[in-house]
Amino acid sequence: MEKRGFGSDNGSGIHPKVLKAITEVNKGHSVAYGYDKHTEAAIRKFREHLGEKVDVYFVFNGTAANTLGLQGLVRSYNSVICADCAHLNVDECGSPEKFLGCKLIPIKTSDGKITPGQIIEMLADVGFEHRVQPMAVSITQPTEYGTLYTVKEVRAIAKVAHGNNLYLHMDGARIANAAAALGITLKGATFDCGVDVLSFGGTKNGLMLGDAVVFRDSKLAGEFKYVRKQGMQLASKMRFISAQFVALLSDDLWLENAQHSNRMAKLLADRVSDVPEVRITQKVQTNAVFAAIPKSWISKLMKEYFFYIWDESTSEVRWMTSFDTAEEDVDKFAEYLRKLGGR
Amino acid sequence: MEKRGFGSDNGSGIHPKVLKAITEVNKGHSVAYGYDKHTEAAIRKFREHLGEKVDVYFVFNGTAANTLGLQGLVRSYNSVICADCAHLNVDECGSPEKFLGCKLIPIKTSDGKITPGQIIEMLADVGFEHRVQPMAVSITQPTEYGTLYTVKEVRAIAKVAHGNNLYLHMDGARIANAAAALGITLKGATFDCGVDVLSFGGTKNGLMLGDAVVFRDSKLAGEFKYVRKQGMQLASKMRFISAQFVALLSDDLWLENAQHSNRMAKLLADRVSDVPEVRITQKVQTNAVFAAIPKSWISKLMKEYFFYIWDESTSEVRWMTSFDTAEEDVDKFAEYLRKLGGR
Amino acid sequence: MEKRGFGSDNGSGIHPKVLKAITEVNKGHSVAYGYDKHTEAAIRKFREHLGEKVDVYFVFNGTAANTLGLQGLVRSYNSVICADCAHLNVDECGSPEKFLGCKLIPIKTSDGKITPGQIIEMLADVGFEHRVQPMAVSITQPTEYGTLYTVKEVRAIAKVAHGNNLYLHMDGARIANAAAALGITLKGATFDCGVDVLSFGGTKNGLMLGDAVVFRDSKLAGEFKYVRKQGMQLASKMRFISAQFVALLSDDLWLENAQHSNRMAKLLADRVSDVPEVRITQKVQTNAVFAAIPKSWISKLMKEYFFYIWDESTSEVRWMTSFDTAEEDVDKFAEYLRKLGGR
Amino acid sequence: MEKRGFGSDNGSGIHPKVLKAITEVNKGHSVAYGYDKHTEAAIRKFREHLGEKVDVYFVFNGTAANTLGLQGLVRSYNSVICADCAHLNVDECGSPEKFLGCKLIPIKTSDGKITPGQIIEMLADVGFEHRVQPMAVSITQPTEYGTLYTVKEVRAIAKVAHGNNLYLHMDGARIANAAAALGITLKGATFDCGVDVLSFGGTKNGLMLGDAVVFRDSKLAGEFKYVRKQGMQLASKMRFISAQFVALLSDDLWLENAQHSNRMAKLLADRVSDVPEVRITQKVQTNAVFAAIPKSWISKLMKEYFFYIWDESTSEVRWMTSFDTAEEDVDKFAEYLRKLGGR
């Protein structure tokens, strides 16, 4: 059997129920490009979870969900305010700049979370034609550090955004982990807090591939079907993406997967808490563990486990858990770490 | 059981061997973003079929393969010469214009095939800064009409392209059907003819999803890995796309699927040849049948079968066969048509 | 003294009254970027001529006026319908594709004029997400061939455009020549006919440089000030562009210049009418003369006069007159032509 | 007579010698688009000053010089490293993002100057496809604060840039002021230091309008003529821009203008040095004076003089001098300031 590691929740495979769903819709022919009954069913599922008025568009991955979701909202002379560490800002190889044609305005954060006050500071030049004009705020929930905005915090951001004619975009690549950790519904974690456009992640929570751009309502979605097609994100055999979402959003699979991976992260943090060389650097609130470890350990650890070095200078690393992380995996990893420490 | 129709080869599902391959690699964790052994194996397969020096990049769909494949070759002030009916020109919702920023120069054709002479006519303004500068020729093989360029014809186009400092791009969304029909290898149908960049289609030939951008060599590929990532086409759980290609390119599956669908198209043309109201409008060389039928038949036929109306004014329609089209499907369809004719 | 030729109205210089205006505002300091009193005066002049509600933005040249004027109206998945010979389509080096990110839909014409019926034919795929969605019609008045739409014709185009939710853009690089030839006001030739956005040409009618983007009203203009700045077209020392427009739009200078150049074109056509080798190919309605001449004459004529060869294959050439063309210039030119014919 | 203020060197008019040059070339017809003898002469002048091998392209303004100059060097997945306060980054309304499609990487500075060490810090992710890839460094000389890089500092930046396969772009909107202040030639201040592409400013130093993109050599310039045309920056009546540059680069006019405005800034700083409420915040090295003044003075000062508030929170303001600033203007301004202080 192949190993399970802590590199990323992207390193995991397809949840058995999701794979089963793919297999089950693999019968006969369907109309292509999303005009099939499985896609209809998937959209229905989204509306059950996120509200009857939402408009849902499936895309292939998170880069597209973020970039295209914003494309409908902005013009090239606008800007999007986000955390400096936002995936949008650092991990899309400039996709937003290329496709929106607009500038991102990064806000310095230590835990991935931005505040209403920081947003207001970025609005000084509204109306001055030499400067890009803010049009949206994008927050990541949970953040790139696995930390969480509280519902109250998201609401406060939505309030300041809307009060200044800005849209609120949420990068929810791991929104299930957030809702699970907060103990609320998906709707409670998103549109109920004032989100306008949501990147809803599926890939990281047990799908083979597939994310969704979800708009508060069809008016906001506007002509997004053209944005998606032109944006090279319209799947022809759509039913195989839709079926995965139907599985994910049925029988609480999204929740179980998220709760499990969250629990495994807490377990991992717990298991290494007695290793003095390992310092947890961020609150472990969802399925990520950030830790500073001795520089010399990194290459040794890498021999057995792939993971990302977050900050070379402080030898801070990131360990992610996943829907399929087993307790045993965590134990072995902690043990290996302990061994590095000579214990 | 669900019905199989003639709407598009996109309407078909996943070939059982391909689905099996997805299932088999669904074990443990893999490094994400294509740095896994399954992707390595898939690239090896491509090199077996297309030559040792080719550089291969998987993307999600054909729109991306065409648009991004060309992006590496052109600057925004360039142009791409193609047939007026090219998918690139009419069916990507302006994706090339948006992402390349450049103009397409359409050439009028009746059967989807352009000629060296027509290309030369488009080169009059080279060096004149008021005009876009041609940098690539894009041909579709087989064409949007299912017709074929002969090897000699592709070579002649490559010669005139290269002689005028133009790259030759081939939209091979159905390249397997072309190679099968021509009775040559995939390499013989592409790089041996002088192709520089190939959109290699998988989705239409039995994959769940996945196409590939294949460059003649790594020098031509250049920094394509950044183009793909920025272009929102880098799959995180890449192994599930790669495994599909391994299956397709093993044990002649690509060829069997293509030969079958080609045969079914010929059968369909044959079965309706005795219906006087049906006039086949293009040579049936691969897996498409174009036919002019009585206007009044269209809506009736649509009740039972989904398909595209190609030209409303002449009531020309398109029927596509697929790897999973059964002889029985063709018989029923022909029978239904005959019934419409009152026979 | 330097020679005056028939290459283009761009070959002419600055009208003395315009140069005088530049000189006169060259006193002291002004607030930059158009927030000065000269720009205010220029806008007032435009409103006198084009209506009180128009919104006016000065840009450096016609390429910018066309490209940016349309940018405010379209999204990248839209298309702009225009004549195949439109400057927009052939002479901007792909500026619209690059900056709008959208496709132009060219309509075949023989005299540069498109018809309502041709526009309607281009609307077949509205709502189909695989195709770009028409959002504007762009016409050139007078056309690239110097021919004219009648008021009735423009109105008919506006009607079909608006009836199909399309904006009407007019490339008026030589709109003064059109109004002069039609014997109507500038407003009569543009907004009264239903134009939504107008590229108002100054450079070709006696300015040193400067064109204007004029919107029907401020609602249509929207946030154009950002489009212009981002579009690299906001002049810092704006007063020197504004002052030129004040001069042009005062004391009927625009009209005199246009009437004169129109008259010179008619004179030129008349003067060569007795040269049997010269065949006028388009109606001479404004300041352009299109003629087919013997192929062998072209290089000889080029020795003395610079001009554009319009169509190499038919040896059709274009001769333009200008505000400063003298009757004597026309006589000499005609004489020289006659000499080439051995007369 | 109109007033001269300290808002910007853009607020000044046309130097008499420059206006004379415009007037003198206003004779007869010229071939348009830069294929005239005046443009040839202007290019010759540039080569005298900047080296025989440079390639020169005139554009309308500084936004275009910066944006288009970089466009030739980068692809959309690249990035450009620059100071956080760079005009490129804050004052072009997102023009670089829109037209290059790429991300700017801002470096925090207090005086507008970046260091080799800061550049190296930005190169951590080279080769990692999730991140934009640095391709150029852009520095402003003099900086947005009027401060100067020494020749040695620019050389050190060039060395680290070239050593890491990055181009060095210099925003020289006021390069004449820098050369004058450093007491070196224009070439000594630019290409001799390792600059690859230079935005050469004319507008701020006495021209009506016109800046130039100057490439180290024609190989670097590449196909820039298409970039300029597509970039909406090709002037038809080019001679009137060229003639201005001929005047500026003849008889040391560029130097006299720059020396004068530099001197006036020093004088201004000197004249207000005895006002205790005015604190000069940056070294006065060229033609800018940055000062923190009492918040309550700003609106009072604004009644008489237009200027920019640089930082609302610290009530830091910017005063610029110009080629036409008179000693008397400075005296009056200082006097007015002193009066505000109740002296």
Side-chain angles (χ1 to χ4, degrees):
Chain A
M1 209 197 76
E2 305 204 16
K3 207 163 61 178
R4 286 182 301 267
F6 301 88
S8 173
D9 31 14
N10 276 336
S12 67
I14 315 172
H15 189 280
K17 286 189 184 171
V18 172
L19 184 53
K20 188 161 168 268
I22 291 177
T23 306
E24 284 176 357
V25 300
N26 191 29
K27 281 173 193 147
H29 282 200
S30 272
V31 177
Y33 301 114
Y35 294 95
D36 63 282
K37 64 182 182 187
H38 306 294
T39 303
E40 210 182 299
I43 292 172
R44 222 178 303 124
K45 280 284 171 197
F46 268 92
R47 292 191 169 142
E48 281 171 25
H49 284 280
L50 293 169
E52 278 309 308
K53 295 173 91 178
V54 301
D55 236 19
V56 185
Y57 297 84
F58 303 133
V59 295
F60 296 117
N61 64 9
T63 305
N66 283 339
T67 299
L68 299 187
L70 284 163
Q71 188 178 318
L73 308 182
V74 303
R75 308 285 311 212
S76 58
Y77 49 82
N78 288 133
S79 63
V80 177
I81 297 168
C82 60
D84 55 356
C85 63
H87 207 271
L88 199 66
N89 191 40
V90 291
D91 287 306
E92 318 279 32
C93 198
S95 193
E97 286 85 357
K98 164 83 178 159
F99 297 130
L100 313 181
C102 81
K103 189 187 272 295
L104 303 181
I105 307 294
I107 287 179
K108 203 158 179 59
T109 74
S110 59
D111 60 355
K113 292 166 63 177
I114 61 176
T115 66
Q118 289 176 309
I119 294 167
I120 288 168
E121 275 174 36
M122 300 296 155
L123 306 178
D125 298 316
V126 168
F128 186 50
E129 72 212 82
H130 299 259
R131 304 281 160 84
V132 288
Q133 299 295 304
M135 182 51 88
V137 172
S138 176
I139 59 173
T140 313
Q141 173 78 319
T143 72
E144 281 72 16
Y145 288 108
T147 55
L148 282 171
Y149 290 93
T150 63
V151 162
K152 208 174 146 190
E153 285 169 339
V154 178
R155 283 195 175 146
I157 288 174
K159 199 179 165 190
V160 82
H162 296 156
N164 288 283
N165 298 312
L166 306 174
Y167 294 109
L168 179 57
H169 169 261
M170 182 180 275
D171 179 350
R174 298 181 180 99
I175 188 61
N177 296 86
L182 292 167
I184 55 178
T185 63
L186 290 169
K187 182 159 174 278
T190 57
F191 295 104
D192 281 355
C193 296
V195 167
D196 295 305
V197 190
L198 170 69
S199 293
F200 185 98
T203 313
K204 289 178 161 74
N205 200 26
L207 263 51
M208 171 176 153
L209 92 176
D211 288 56
V213 181
V214 190
F215 293 92
R216 170 178 286 288
D217 55 37
S218 62
K219 207 180 144 199
L220 254 180
E223 299 183 304
F224 190 75
K225 68 175 182 171
Y226 304 113
V227 172
R228 177 173 65 174
K229 171 64 192 177
Q230 187 182 53
M232 309 176 286
Q233 294 287 327
L234 180 61
S236 54
K237 297 181 175 177
M238 184 74 90
R239 60 174 145 164
F240 297 111
I241 293 181
S242 304
Q244 296 181 65
F245 275 116
V246 171
L248 187 72
L249 294 177
S250 298
D251 305 328
D252 282 344
L253 181 60
W254 69 271
L255 182 60
E256 282 172 24
N257 283 355
Q259 283 175 333
H260 178 80
S261 58
N262 287 354
R263 199 161 47 228
M264 289 301 104
K266 281 205 166 21
L267 186 70
L268 174 55
D270 186 61
R271 287 286 193 275
V272 301
S273 63
D274 62 339
V275 187
E277 292 92 341
V278 174
R279 187 173 51 84
I280 305 294
T281 53
Q282 295 282 351
K283 284 187 205 165
V284 179
Q285 296 184 301
T286 52
N287 66 325
V289 177
F290 282 77
I293 64 174
K295 191 154 263 166
S296 63
W297 289 20
I298 291 182
S299 60
K300 288 171 197 160
L301 194 55
M302 279 278 187
K303 269 180 206 151
E304 291 295 315
Y305 294 95
F306 172 79
F307 56 88
Y308 285 99
I309 301 167
W310 202 256
D311 187 334
E312 196 96 41
S313 70
T314 58
S315 70
E316 187 181 13
V317 300
R318 186 192 74 166
W319 301 321
M320 301 293 300
T321 55
S322 168
F323 75 89
D324 62 351
T325 305
E327 213 164 308
E328 189 198 344
D329 301 328
V330 174
D331 288 340
K332 275 189 191 162
F333 185 74
E335 197 179 333
Y336 191 83
L337 262 181
R338 223 170 274 116
K339 231 189 297 182
L340 287 180
R343 266 156 228 117
Chain B
M1 210 199 74
E2 303 205 17
K3 205 162 65 176
R4 286 184 302 268
F6 301 88
S8 173
D9 29 16
N10 276 338
S12 66
I14 314 172
H15 189 279
K17 287 188 182 174
V18 172
L19 183 52
K20 188 159 167 270
I22 291 176
T23 306
E24 284 175 356
V25 300
N26 191 29
K27 282 172 194 148
H29 283 199
S30 272
V31 178
Y33 301 115
Y35 294 94
D36 63 282
K37 64 181 183 186
H38 306 294
T39 304
E40 210 182 299
I43 292 172
R44 221 178 304 125
K45 280 285 169 196
F46 267 93
R47 291 193 170 139
E48 280 171 26
H49 284 281
L50 293 170
E52 278 309 308
K53 297 173 89 178
V54 300
D55 237 19
V56 186
Y57 297 84
F58 303 134
V59 295
F60 295 117
N61 64 9
T63 305
N66 283 340
T67 298
L68 299 187
L70 284 163
Q71 188 177 319
L73 308 182
V74 303
R75 308 284 312 213
S76 58
Y77 48 83
N78 288 133
S79 63
V80 177
I81 297 167
C82 62
D84 54 357
C85 62
H87 207 272
L88 200 65
N89 191 42
V90 292
D91 287 306
E92 319 279 32
C93 197
S95 192
E97 286 83 359
K98 164 85 177 156
F99 298 131
L100 314 180
C102 83
K103 189 186 269 296
L104 303 182
I105 307 292
I107 288 179
K108 204 160 178 59
T109 74
S110 59
D111 60 356
K113 293 166 61 179
I114 62 175
T115 67
Q118 287 176 310
I119 294 168
I120 289 169
E121 274 173 37
M122 299 296 155
L123 305 177
D125 298 316
V126 169
F128 185 51
E129 73 214 82
H130 298 260
R131 305 280 160 85
V132 289
Q133 299 294 304
M135 182 52 87
V137 172
S138 177
I139 59 174
T140 312
Q141 173 76 323
T143 71
E144 280 71 17
Y145 288 109
T147 55
L148 284 170
Y149 289 94
T150 64
V151 164
K152 209 174 144 188
E153 285 169 340
V154 178
R155 283 194 174 146
I157 287 173
K159 199 179 164 189
V160 81
H162 296 155
N164 288 283
N165 298 313
L166 306 174
Y167 294 109
L168 179 57
H169 170 263
M170 182 180 274
D171 178 349
R174 297 182 180 98
I175 187 63
N177 296 86
L182 293 168
I184 57 178
T185 63
L186 289 169
K187 182 160 173 278
T190 58
F191 295 104
D192 282 355
C193 296
V195 168
D196 295 305
V197 190
L198 171 68
S199 292
F200 185 99
T203 313
K204 290 179 159 74
N205 199 26
L207 262 52
M208 171 176 152
L209 92 174
D211 287 56
V213 181
V214 190
F215 293 93
R216 168 179 289 288
D217 55 38
S218 61
K219 209 182 139 196
L220 252 181
E223 301 184 303
F224 190 75
K225 69 174 179 171
Y226 304 111
V227 172
R228 179 175 62 176
K229 172 64 194 176
Q230 188 181 52
M232 310 176 286
Q233 294 288 325
L234 180 60
S236 54
K237 298 183 175 176
M238 184 75 89
R239 60 175 145 162
F240 298 110
I241 293 182
S242 303
Q244 296 181 64
F245 274 117
V246 172
L248 186 71
L249 294 177
S250 298
D251 305 329
D252 283 345
L253 181 60
W254 69 271
L255 183 60
E256 281 172 24
N257 282 356
Q259 284 175 333
H260 178 79
S261 59
N262 287 355
R263 201 162 45 230
M264 288 301 103
K266 281 208 167 15
L267 187 70
L268 173 55
D270 186 61
R271 286 285 193 278
V272 302
S273 65
D274 62 339
V275 187
E277 292 92 341
V278 175
R279 186 173 51 84
I280 305 294
T281 54
Q282 295 282 351
K283 283 187 206 168
V284 179
Q285 297 185 302
T286 53
N287 67 324
V289 176
F290 281 79
I293 63 173
K295 191 155 264 167
S296 63
W297 289 21
I298 291 181
S299 61
K300 290 171 196 161
L301 194 53
M302 280 276 188
K303 271 182 206 152
E304 291 295 315
Y305 294 94
F306 172 78
F307 56 88
Y308 286 99
I309 301 167
W310 203 256
D311 187 335
E312 195 96 42
S313 71
T314 58
S315 72
E316 187 181 14
V317 299
R318 186 192 76 166
W319 301 321
M320 300 293 298
T321 55
S322 168
F323 76 88
D324 63 350
T325 306
E327 212 162 311
E328 190 197 344
D329 301 328
V330 174
D331 287 340
K332 276 191 192 161
F333 185 75
E335 199 178 332
Y336 191 83
L337 261 183
R338 223 170 274 118
K339 232 190 291 182
L340 288 180
R343 268 160 227 113
Chain C
M1 207 200 75
E2 304 207 16
K3 206 162 65 177
R4 286 183 302 266
F6 301 88
S8 174
D9 29 16
N10 276 337
S12 67
I14 314 171
H15 189 281
K17 287 189 182 171
V18 172
L19 184 52
K20 188 160 168 271
I22 291 175
T23 306
E24 285 177 355
V25 298
N26 191 29
K27 281 173 195 147
H29 283 200
S30 272
V31 178
Y33 300 113
Y35 295 94
D36 64 281
K37 66 181 181 188
H38 307 293
T39 303
E40 211 182 299
I43 291 172
R44 221 178 305 125
K45 279 285 171 197
F46 267 92
R47 292 194 169 138
E48 281 172 24
H49 284 280
L50 292 169
E52 277 311 307
K53 296 173 90 178
V54 300
D55 236 19
V56 185
Y57 297 84
F58 302 134
V59 294
F60 296 117
N61 64 8
T63 305
N66 283 339
T67 298
L68 298 187
L70 284 163
Q71 187 178 318
L73 308 182
V74 302
R75 308 285 311 214
S76 57
Y77 48 83
N78 288 134
S79 63
V80 177
I81 297 167
C82 62
D84 54 356
C85 62
H87 207 271
L88 198 66
N89 191 41
V90 292
D91 287 306
E92 318 281 31
C93 197
S95 193
E97 284 85 357
K98 164 85 176 155
F99 297 132
L100 313 181
C102 82
K103 189 186 270 296
L104 303 182
I105 306 292
I107 287 179
K108 203 158 181 57
T109 73
S110 59
D111 60 356
K113 293 166 63 178
I114 61 176
T115 66
Q118 288 177 308
I119 295 168
I120 288 169
E121 274 173 37
M122 299 295 154
L123 305 178
D125 298 316
V126 169
F128 186 51
E129 73 213 81
H130 299 258
R131 305 281 160 82
V132 289
Q133 299 294 305
M135 182 53 88
V137 171
S138 177
I139 60 174
T140 314
Q141 171 80 317
T143 73
E144 282 71 17
Y145 287 108
T147 55
L148 282 171
Y149 289 92
T150 64
V151 164
K152 206 174 146 191
E153 285 169 339
V154 178
R155 284 193 173 150
I157 287 173
K159 198 178 166 193
V160 81
H162 295 156
N164 288 282
N165 299 311
L166 306 174
Y167 294 109
L168 179 57
H169 169 262
M170 181 180 275
D171 179 350
R174 298 182 179 97
I175 187 62
N177 296 85
L182 292 167
I184 57 179
T185 63
L186 289 168
K187 182 159 174 278
T190 57
F191 294 104
D192 282 355
C193 297
V195 167
D196 295 304
V197 189
L198 170 69
S199 292
F200 185 99
T203 314
K204 290 179 159 76
N205 200 27
L207 262 52
M208 170 177 153
L209 92 175
D211 287 56
V213 181
V214 190
F215 293 91
R216 169 178 288 287
D217 55 37
S218 63
K219 207 181 141 198
L220 252 180
E223 300 184 302
F224 190 76
K225 69 174 180 171
Y226 304 112
V227 172
R228 178 173 65 175
K229 172 64 193 177
Q230 187 182 54
M232 310 176 286
Q233 294 287 326
L234 179 61
S236 55
K237 297 182 175 177
M238 184 74 89
R239 60 175 146 163
F240 298 110
I241 293 183
S242 304
Q244 296 181 64
F245 275 115
V246 171
L248 186 71
L249 294 177
S250 297
D251 306 328
D252 283 345
L253 181 59
W254 68 272
L255 182 60
E256 281 172 24
N257 283 356
Q259 284 174 333
H260 178 81
S261 58
N262 287 353
R263 198 162 48 232
M264 287 301 105
K266 281 205 167 18
L267 186 71
L268 173 55
D270 186 61
R271 285 286 193 276
V272 301
S273 64
D274 62 339
V275 187
E277 291 92 341
V278 174
R279 184 173 54 85
I280 305 295
T281 54
Q282 295 281 353
K283 284 186 203 168
V284 179
Q285 297 186 301
T286 54
N287 67 324
V289 176
F290 281 78
I293 63 173
K295 190 154 265 166
S296 63
W297 288 22
I298 291 180
S299 62
K300 289 172 196 161
L301 194 55
M302 280 279 187
K303 268 181 208 152
E304 290 295 316
Y305 293 94
F306 172 79
F307 56 88
Y308 286 99
I309 301 167
W310 203 256
D311 186 335
E312 195 95 42
S313 69
T314 57
S315 71
E316 186 180 13
V317 300
R318 185 192 76 167
W319 300 322
M320 300 293 300
T321 56
S322 168
F323 76 87
D324 63 351
T325 304
E327 212 164 311
E328 189 197 345
D329 301 327
V330 173
D331 288 340
K332 275 191 191 160
F333 185 75
E335 198 178 331
Y336 191 82
L337 261 182
R338 222 171 275 114
K339 230 191 293 181
L340 287 180
R343 266 157 228 117
Chain D
M1 209 199 74
E2 306 207 15
K3 205 164 62 178
R4 285 182 303 267
F6 300 88
S8 174
D9 29 16
N10 276 337
S12 67
I14 315 172
H15 189 280
K17 286 191 183 171
V18 172
L19 183 52
K20 188 160 167 270
I22 291 175
T23 306
E24 284 177 356
V25 300
N26 191 27
K27 281 172 192 147
H29 283 199
S30 271
V31 177
Y33 301 114
Y35 295 95
D36 63 282
K37 65 183 182 188
H38 306 292
T39 303
E40 211 181 299
I43 291 171
R44 222 180 302 124
K45 279 285 171 199
F46 267 93
R47 292 194 169 138
E48 280 171 25
H49 284 279
L50 292 169
E52 278 309 308
K53 295 172 90 179
V54 301
D55 236 21
V56 185
Y57 297 84
F58 303 133
V59 294
F60 295 117
N61 65 8
T63 305
N66 283 340
T67 297
L68 298 186
L70 284 163
Q71 188 178 319
L73 307 181
V74 303
R75 309 286 310 214
S76 58
Y77 49 83
N78 288 134
S79 63
V80 177
I81 297 167
C82 61
D84 55 355
C85 62
H87 207 271
L88 200 64
N89 191 41
V90 291
D91 287 307
E92 319 281 30
C93 198
S95 193
E97 285 84 358
K98 162 85 177 157
F99 298 132
L100 314 180
C102 80
K103 187 186 271 295
L104 304 181
I105 306 292
I107 287 179
K108 202 157 181 60
T109 75
S110 59
D111 60 356
K113 292 167 62 178
I114 61 176
T115 67
Q118 289 176 308
I119 294 168
I120 288 168
E121 274 173 37
M122 299 295 156
L123 306 177
D125 298 316
V126 168
F128 186 51
E129 73 212 81
H130 299 259
R131 304 280 160 81
V132 289
Q133 299 295 303
M135 182 53 88
V137 172
S138 178
I139 59 175
T140 313
Q141 173 76 318
T143 72
E144 280 71 16
Y145 288 108
T147 56
L148 281 171
Y149 289 92
T150 65
V151 163
K152 208 174 142 190
E153 286 170 337
V154 178
R155 282 194 176 147
I157 287 173
K159 199 178 163 191
V160 81
H162 296 155
N164 287 283
N165 299 312
L166 305 174
Y167 294 108
L168 180 55
H169 170 262
M170 182 180 273
D171 178 349
R174 297 180 179 100
I175 188 63
N177 296 83
L182 293 167
I184 56 178
T185 63
L186 289 169
K187 182 159 172 279
T190 56
F191 295 104
D192 282 356
C193 296
V195 167
D196 296 304
V197 189
L198 171 68
S199 292
F200 185 99
T203 313
K204 290 179 159 73
N205 200 26
L207 263 50
M208 170 175 154
L209 93 176
D211 287 57
V213 181
V214 190
F215 293 92
R216 170 178 287 287
D217 55 37
S218 62
K219 209 182 139 196
L220 253 181
E223 299 184 303
F224 190 75
K225 69 174 179 172
Y226 304 112
V227 172
R228 177 174 63 176
K229 173 63 194 178
Q230 187 183 52
M232 309 176 287
Q233 293 288 327
L234 180 60
S236 55
K237 297 181 175 178
M238 184 74 89
R239 60 174 146 163
F240 297 110
I241 292 182
S242 303
Q244 296 181 66
F245 274 115
V246 171
L248 186 71
L249 294 176
S250 297
D251 305 327
D252 283 344
L253 181 60
W254 68 272
L255 183 60
E256 282 172 23
N257 283 356
Q259 283 174 333
H260 177 81
S261 58
N262 288 353
R263 200 162 46 232
M264 288 300 104
K266 281 206 168 14
L267 187 70
L268 174 54
D270 187 59
R271 286 285 193 278
V272 301
S273 63
D274 62 339
V275 187
E277 292 93 339
V278 174
R279 184 173 54 83
I280 305 293
T281 54
Q282 296 282 352
K283 284 186 204 167
V284 179
Q285 298 186 301
T286 53
N287 67 324
V289 177
F290 281 78
I293 63 174
K295 191 154 266 170
S296 63
W297 289 20
I298 291 182
S299 62
K300 290 171 196 159
L301 195 53
M302 280 277 187
K303 269 181 206 150
E304 290 296 314
Y305 293 95
F306 172 79
F307 55 89
Y308 285 99
I309 301 167
W310 202 257
D311 187 334
E312 195 96 39
S313 69
T314 58
S315 72
E316 188 180 13
V317 301
R318 187 193 74 166
W319 301 322
M320 301 292 302
T321 56
S322 168
F323 76 89
D324 62 350
T325 305
E327 215 163 308
E328 188 197 348
D329 301 328
V330 173
D331 287 341
K332 277 191 192 161
F333 185 76
E335 198 178 330
Y336 191 82
L337 261 183
R338 221 172 276 116
K339 230 188 295 178
L340 288 180
R343 266 159 229 115

